[in-house]
Amino acid sequence: MGLSILNDEENAIRDAARALVQKEIAPRSGEFDQKEIYPRANLELLGQQGYLGMIVEPEYGGAGTTYLAQTLVVESIAEVDPATAVIYEVHCSLHIEGIWRFGTDAQKRRWLPSLCRGEAIGAFALSEAEAGSNAAALATRAVRVPGGYRVTGRKMFITSGGEAERYLLFATVDPALKTKGITAFIVEKDAPGLHFGPPLEKLGIRASRTSEVIVDDVFVPDENRLGAEGDGYTIALYLLDGGRIGIAAQGVGIMSAALARSLTYAQERKQFGKPIGSFEGVQWRLANMATDLHAARLMTYEAARHREEGPSQRPLFAMAKLFSSEHAVRHAEDAIQIFGGYGYMREYGVERLLRDAKITEIYEGTSEIMRWVIASQLLKDYDLDNI
Ligand SMILES: Cc1cc2nc3c(=O)[nH]c(=O)nc-3n(C[C@H](O)[C@H](O)[C@H](O)COP(=O)(O)OP(=O)(O)OC[C@H]3O[C@@H](n4cnc5c(N)ncnc54)[C@H](O)[C@@H]3O)c2cc1C
């Protein structure tokens, strides 16, 4: 039947993605989480099936779909495997999209086809140990030398760090220029001087490798610079706008899983001689979960439909991420509560929803930063009809 808030084509894309994910990704998802196995096979499969770089035109290896189509795929993956969903999201929204929007024709031809096929995985290296929410304070330095730059610094918490074949990496050519000195580069994994810390041990999305990226006097040729010198900060913020829609979709996927699991359990589990779903206390929780899920979907899909308008819609993207991520955490807690003691046990896989949901409130801009983005716009240009 599909979702009434999507058209037939969008529902068809969502149905196809969900069918693939349920058949191929769901069966090993729990094992990958427990053993912290990086799901490269999932990315390769998604590439083979045409789900990577969906917004990229076919001439560069993509499918030429809408942004919403890609957002629906993130949601579908996150329903069963939020770790694969974030790797997919970083690969598509932050790395591929960066090359697609800001690369030259030669750069697009050189890098996009292998990324769209899943033969190479892309990462996004902006954060540093001392520059997280305030990414503009990054200290990685790029010094001009004949034919390119020598880059030195350390990047923290990089998704797919050590697994990805390529890194969209941000460094400053002159710290005195502040944001106007930040420049974007594509650095290959095998570049001499590029090293990786061990996988960091995490609460959730455990199959997604997160590592430090150590850049030790790495030579980056001119042809690997993305955009002009000093464009990097604008590029990073532009990409994070889209990334936030992706994280909102990740939250929606987790909420959808939490509700589906809760509904089934509420009808099966009996106490006091009746299914627990017959008790008002449980029903109200389910009703609130369904209402919030619908609202989060509307906000996320609306944000995706406005993606092409760029930074002018930044508050809309932030609202979608804020609402979806905070409700994903709450719904994961609700699902555990509905499952009672069984919800707390690993065997049931419901505790994983909470472990995986929490990160959505942190990466690609914390909830506090989302509120800051929204409030800044309200205070600058408050227009009740255009929020
Ligand atoms: C699993 C994981 C994967 C990640 N993947 C990537 C990646 O692929 N690439 C990448 O570049 N980065 C990545 N990150 C980094 C992530 O984007 C940052 O962790 C995030 O932006 C927050 O930065 P921070 O951790 O330094 O926290 P801080 O910025 O130190 O914030 C700490 C606390 O202070 C609050 N705070 C900070 N400033 C303000 C303010 N002005 N007003 C109110 N509150 C404020 C924050 O909201 C937060 O609660 C990842 C992080 C994790 C945990």
Side-chain angles (χ1 to χ4, degrees):
M1 208 178 89
L3 293 173
S4 60
I5 51 177
L6 297 176
N7 66 30
D8 288 349
E9 193 186 339
E10 291 157 356
N11 268 314
I13 290 169
R14 179 170 174 268
D15 289 348
R18 290 180 97 201
L20 179 76
V21 163
Q22 293 290 344
K23 181 162 178 269
E24 303 289 348
I25 295 182
R28 297 195 63 196
S29 176
E31 182 195 350
F32 283 9
D33 172 66
Q34 299 261 328
K35 297 183 183 163
E36 301 188 352
I37 297 171
Y38 184 82
R40 183 172 282 271
N42 291 344
L43 271 290
E44 286 170 355
L45 173 77
L46 290 163
Q48 287 154 12
Q49 300 286 325
Y51 287 105
L52 299 182
M54 290 171 73
I55 57 170
V56 170
E57 303 93 326
E59 66 171 307
Y60 298 118
T65 68
T66 61
Y67 205 84
L68 177 57
Q70 183 171 284
T71 305
L72 295 170
V73 175
V74 181
E75 176 188 327
S76 303
I77 300 170
E79 279 183 336
V80 305
D81 193 324
T84 297
V86 71
I87 297 167
Y88 174 92
E89 198 275 322
V90 169
H91 178 78
C92 295
S93 295
L94 300 183
H95 189 99
I96 288 182
E97 191 171 339
I99 295 168
W100 180 58
R101 287 195 190 271
F102 301 102
T104 61
D105 185 59
Q107 288 174 326
K108 291 191 220 180
R109 289 190 192 285
R110 179 173 163 208
W111 288 315
L112 288 178
S114 59
L115 291 162
C116 292
R117 286 195 298 266
E119 292 163 9
I121 291 177
F124 179 84
L126 176 68
S127 303
E128 299 181 1
E130 302 300 326
S133 298
N134 183 16
L138 62 80
T140 299
R141 255 328 271 281
V143 177
R144 253 224 164 278
V145 293
Y149 300 81
R150 297 214 78 96
V151 183
T152 299
R154 296 173 90 94
K155 294 290 176 182
M156 192 45 142
F157 296 147
I158 304 308
T159 297
S160 299
E163 290 283 348
E165 279 72 29
R166 289 186 208 121
Y167 297 80
L168 170 48
L169 189 137
F170 297 85
T172 176
V173 290
D174 182 357
L177 293 174
K178 304 210 165 138
T179 54
K180 302 261 184 288
I182 296 174
T183 305
F185 301 95
I186 299 291
V187 182
E188 306 273 353
K189 182 185 186 184
D190 57 4
L194 196 69
H195 308 290
F196 305 97
L200 296 164
E201 290 181 23
K202 302 193 293 296
L203 174 72
I205 53 159
R206 286 154 53 91
S208 165
R209 179 169 169 177
T210 313
S211 287
E212 192 175 9
V213 175
I214 301 138
V215 196
D216 183 11
D217 197 26
V218 173
F219 175 71
V220 183
D222 281 328
E223 58 268 26
N224 284 32
R225 194 188 65 222
L226 203 63
E229 269 188 17
D231 282 356
Y233 194 63
T234 306
I235 291 175
L237 292 189
Y238 191 102
L239 295 174
L240 284 169
D241 280 341
R244 288 167 187 169
I245 301 170
I247 302 305
Q250 190 185 20
V252 170
I254 293 171
M255 290 164 84
S256 167
L259 180 59
R261 298 285 315 267
S262 299
L263 281 173
T264 307
Y265 194 76
Q267 290 168 86
E268 285 170 5
R269 174 70 173 171
K270 289 200 173 94
Q271 287 294 287
F272 302 97
K274 295 175 183 168
I276 59 168
S278 66
F279 302 126
E280 254 185 10
V282 174
Q283 288 175 1
W284 289 8
R285 202 182 281 274
L286 292 169
N288 288 342
M289 290 168 80
T291 307
D292 294 338
L293 172 60
H294 186 58
R297 277 204 172 111
L298 286 170
M299 291 178 78
T300 303
Y301 299 171
E302 190 200 8
R305 292 190 206 278
H306 286 274
R307 169 61 177 143
E308 291 307 321
E309 292 162 38
S312 65
Q313 297 293 349
R314 187 159 287 158
L316 201 65
F317 310 145
M319 284 180 191
K321 181 185 187 277
L322 176 65
F323 188 89
S324 177
S325 60
E326 293 196 342
H327 283 86
V329 174
R330 202 174 303 160
H331 288 200
E333 285 174 359
D334 286 334
I336 293 174
Q337 196 65 22
I338 288 170
F339 272 69
Y342 298 97
Y344 202 70
M345 299 299 141
R346 280 217 163 165
E347 189 189 339
Y348 283 75
V350 179
E351 51 77 49
R352 183 180 161 197
L353 293 171
L354 184 56
R355 290 191 289 103
D356 286 349
K358 182 62 201 170
I359 188 59
T360 64
E361 293 181 315
I362 296 172
Y363 53 25
E364 305 205 23
T366 63
S367 288
E368 290 74 24
I369 297 303
M370 294 305 100
R371 288 189 166 87
W372 184 20
V373 167
I374 298 161
S376 307
Q377 181 64 29
L378 289 176
L379 293 166
K380 193 166 61 180
D381 183 15
Y382 181 61
D383 177 359
L384 203 56
D385 294 334
N386 190 26
I387 297 177

